[in-house]
Amino acid sequence: MADPIRHVADEASRRRTFAIISHPDAGKTTLTEKFLLYSGAVAEAGAVKARGARRRARSDWMEMEQERGISITSTVLQFAYRDRVLNLLDTPGHRDFSEDTYRVLAAADAAIMVLDVAKGIEEQTRRLFEVCRARELPIVTFVNKYDRPGRDPIELLDEIEEQISLRPTPLTWPVGDPGDFRGVIDRRSGAFVRYTRTVGGSTEAPEEHVDPGRAAREEGRAFDQALETCALLDGVGAVFDAPSFLAGETSPLFVGSALTNFGVRHVLDAVVDLAPGPSPRLDAAGSPRALDAAFSGQVFKIQANMDPAHRDRVAFVRVCSGRFERGMTVVQESTGRLFATKYATSVLAAERSTIDEAFPGDVVGLVNAGDLRIGDTLYEGEPVAYPPIVSFAPELFASVRARSTARYKQFRRGLDALDEEGVVQVLSDPDGDNTPVLGAVGQMQFEVAAHRLAHEFGAEVDLSPAPYRAVRRTDEETAKRLRSNPGSRVLVRRDGTLLALFESEHWLARLELDNPTWCLERSIV
Ligand code: G4P
């Protein structure tokens, strides 16, 4: 029988766990689908999008996501490519959900940033990319939609560097202008890779490797221009560099078209060959837990009611060390209680299948894990606690009331669930005023919360904007003093943290200046 420790290390090194972040409509879904095509997981593209039956099985708030054309939920896809196992974590493509993206990125080892060649970095999504940068994750960039007219990609390189301080290092460069896309020069080999379209892009685009002499004859000016740009890129040092990529400072960049499949293989190969596999995760005290140690994992996302037929709650756990085996009993570090993992699933879009084992880098969905919270560590053997996943400081606030007092119980239950999932932060008055205040990073979080309270929990609510502009973490002592001040309010978060909310940043600045000994922490973790 194989050595079980060696087995875990081997399996871990085969994993690549990554997320795609993009602005809505930049092509994330299409690229995901093409990844499945190139991995052989689907025989023909179209399977992911034409999910008619699956759509019907979706819950109401997912309908809302479809109406708005944005992805609110996160799902996990696992597929094999070459000799690797790829775990693709989906992230919402809207800045209002950047906190959710941040949590998902806590479970990823790398990210692919998809940009639309006509649009570049869009204002609405800059925040998402900044979040990704802040995590110092290695980022691969894919400039998409080159099959149609767009901007000069050189312009986009400057924009990426200026706007999110990430230095792109193109690994391929397109031959032909946007809209007249013939293929790419592979900057490492110098070869020209010519692509041929297939009907509707539903099967792999045939690739022809053409030597430079022939490419120059056959492609003429377009090839010469691309060569000139490559020389220019060499001249300014825009060449792939592994250490700065792994540090999240430079980003290998590919230009392509997810629709016609041009360039898709290069991106997948980059994930396998360049992106890092799982590495030993640091615990809260800063010591690494070896990949082949006993099982440990961290909950990075909770999602309730994914399937309206079963009012359930799934906790997504990233495996950090060891081998996960369905049915094993693990310890929930925060409570010290034992947790039986009888219902473990892997999740493909809205469909599930039971999984029996998982390795570092994999994501396991634990169904009906009522007691698990975001950030919780689960382990077997030697105890371990991973650092908490931080919450963002809310920037928007709204008071929330149940429209009908008869539905108060449902209202409370719904709020608790949404708070645990991190849909919104629910702040309550420690002195007993029972109108909670919701805190969010983006307005749409409120809309999702109200929609879900009504449709999943049967509690219609009224939301009214609360006039707070700034938030600080505080303590009992300062809270007492603040209570006599108009223009501020002290509320308590689910984890017991006291938060002071202020109507005026200017006034808060004065208060901080006048009372240097008060506890008014900017970091609200
Ligand atoms: P998202 O998940 O990032 O929101 O984007 P999605 O893949 O759904 O793509 C948004 C639209 O852009 C889709 O068109 C899709 O077909 C198109 N698209 C994606 N990649 C490319 C590309 O490389 N080239 C071109 N020309 N178009 C691309 P749609 O009309 O909204 O949907 P559909 O009817 O085509 O499915």
Side-chain angles (χ1 to χ4, degrees):
M1 195 187 139
D3 170 359
I5 291 183
R6 191 62 253 141
H7 182 55
V8 169
D10 287 347
E11 288 294 337
S13 68
R14 291 176 62 215
R15 266 41 183 194
R16 291 293 180 273
T17 302
F18 66 106
I20 302 183
I21 50 167
S22 71
H23 190 277
D25 258 8
K28 184 172 61 174
T29 312
T30 311
L31 186 63
T32 302
E33 183 175 60
K34 299 312 174 72
F35 281 174
L36 296 180
L37 175 71
Y38 274 79
S39 71
V42 298
E44 252 185 54
V48 176
K49 281 202 141 180
R51 50 198 170 200
R54 231 179 280 161
R55 269 193 184 156
R56 282 190 291 279
R58 288 180 155 204
S59 59
D60 291 340
W61 60 286
M62 287 167 110
E63 265 166 36
M64 176 171 159
E65 132 182 338
Q66 277 163 12
E67 279 161 25
R68 287 171 174 267
I70 54 161
S71 163
I72 295 173
T73 57
S74 291
T75 51
V76 186
L77 281 176
Q78 187 179 68
F79 55 93
Y81 180 68
R82 294 179 18 201
D83 57 345
R84 303 297 157 96
V85 177
L86 272 49
N87 293 307
L88 169 51
L89 314 180
D90 192 12
T91 59
H94 193 286
R95 79 170 290 282
D96 282 12
F97 304 104
S98 40
E99 190 172 359
D100 193 25
T101 299
Y102 188 83
R103 287 190 288 257
V104 172
L105 294 179
D109 296 319
I112 299 177
M113 169 167 82
V114 179
L115 302 176
D116 180 332
V117 67
K119 301 199 170 131
I121 301 229
E122 294 172 72
E123 183 49 43
Q124 209 192 19
T125 25
R126 188 195 320 225
R127 176 78 180 261
L128 291 179
F129 300 143
E130 283 169 0
V131 159
C132 197
R133 278 285 288 127
R135 290 212 68 100
E136 296 176 358
L137 274 184
I139 302 172
V140 173
T141 304
F142 183 61
V143 176
N144 190 28
K145 305 200 185 182
Y146 203 75
D147 59 294
R148 62 181 198 190
R151 290 164 54 189
D152 178 352
I154 281 283
E155 219 179 276
L156 293 190
L157 300 189
D158 290 341
E159 187 170 300
I160 296 167
E161 183 152 8
E162 268 162 33
Q163 300 210 2
I164 55 168
S165 308
L166 181 69
R167 185 141 199 260
T169 57
L171 279 174
T172 62
W173 196 255
V175 173
D177 293 329
D180 174 29
F181 189 21
R182 307 175 193 183
V184 295
I185 293 177
D186 184 332
R187 288 184 68 211
R188 287 164 296 185
S189 65
F192 171 54
V193 182
R194 182 157 42 205
Y195 296 115
T196 308
R197 274 180 182 248
T198 60
V199 179
S202 62
T203 52
E204 292 187 24
E207 292 171 19
E208 186 190 357
H209 290 247
V210 182
D211 67 69
R214 204 179 114 210
R217 280 195 306 280
E218 292 174 1
E219 302 297 337
R221 181 94 195 96
F223 186 73
D224 294 341
Q225 268 178 344
L227 272 187
E228 279 164 28
T229 310
C230 288
L232 190 94
L233 292 169
D234 289 342
V236 297
V239 283
F240 176 68
D241 170 60
S244 57
F245 162 56
L246 295 176
E249 292 158 10
T250 62
S251 173
L253 177 140
F254 300 89
V255 178
S257 158
L259 190 71
T260 61
N261 305 332
F262 292 11
V264 170
R265 186 192 305 281
H266 278 121
V267 180
L268 268 180
D269 286 340
V271 170
V272 164
D273 297 326
L274 310 179
S279 57
R281 183 155 292 221
L282 300 183
D283 67 14
S287 333
R289 174 140 170 140
L291 291 172
D292 56 13
F295 164 78
S296 70
Q298 186 171 33
V299 178
F300 65 94
K301 182 166 181 70
I302 303 274
Q303 199 165 309
N305 301 337
M306 284 180 76
D307 179 351
H310 312 96
R311 294 263 143 160
D312 58 3
R313 188 168 177 283
V314 181
F316 292 90
V317 178
R318 145 102 192 201
V319 179
C320 301
S321 68
R323 174 170 177 264
F324 172 87
E325 209 178 328
R326 187 165 63 87
M328 79 197 297
T329 300
V330 297
V331 181
Q332 180 182 358
E333 189 275 332
S334 60
T335 59
R337 277 204 289 256
L338 294 179
F339 183 88
T341 61
K342 197 163 152 202
Y343 302 103
T345 67
S346 67
V347 179
L348 168 68
E351 278 177 356
R352 288 184 193 155
S353 55
T354 302
I355 62 158
D356 290 323
E357 61 172 11
F359 295 96
D362 289 343
V363 171
V364 176
L366 296 177
V367 183
N368 283 336
D371 294 334
L372 295 184
R373 303 283 176 267
I374 289 170
D376 268 356
T377 299
L378 300 176
Y379 68 86
E380 198 190 30
E382 185 72 20
V384 58
Y386 291 113
I389 298 175
V390 302
S391 304
F392 282 21
E395 292 167 25
L396 301 171
F397 302 90
S399 302
V400 58
R401 282 189 180 78
R403 236 171 244 171
S404 149
T405 43
R407 310 295 293 173
Y408 191 72
K409 232 167 69 189
Q410 289 84 343
F411 169 69
R412 283 304 331 181
R413 216 182 46 226
L415 281 182
D416 284 346
L418 298 184
D419 197 13
E420 281 166 13
E421 274 183 59
V423 174
V424 281
Q425 293 184 31
V426 179
L427 310 176
S428 32
D429 195 321
D431 300 330
D433 174 353
N434 54 18
T435 306
V437 172
L438 305 185
V441 176
Q443 181 64 32
M444 265 173 24
Q445 286 177 259
F446 292 142
E447 294 171 26
V448 170
H451 188 91
R452 291 189 55 189
L453 283 168
H455 291 83
E456 286 170 31
F457 298 93
E460 301 267 352
V461 296
D462 288 314
L463 283 170
S464 41
Y468 304 111
R469 299 274 170 273
V471 58
R472 292 286 184 274
R473 183 159 57 88
T474 189
D475 62 9
E476 281 294 350
E477 198 57 34
T478 304
K480 257 188 242 146
R481 294 167 204 267
L482 282 172
R483 279 188 190 112
S484 55
N485 273 294
S488 72
R489 188 168 175 202
V490 176
L491 296 173
V492 63
R493 200 168 59 181
R494 184 166 43 93
D495 62 3
T497 307
L498 287 175
L499 296 180
L501 276 46
F502 298 89
E503 288 181 17
S504 149
E505 294 204 37
H506 179 70
W507 186 68
L508 167 62
R510 275 276 310 277
L511 209 64
E512 285 176 320
L513 214 61
D514 293 347
N515 305 284
T517 57
W518 287 15
C519 170
L520 292 167
E521 298 283 338
R522 202 172 268 273
S523 154
I524 68 152
V525 179

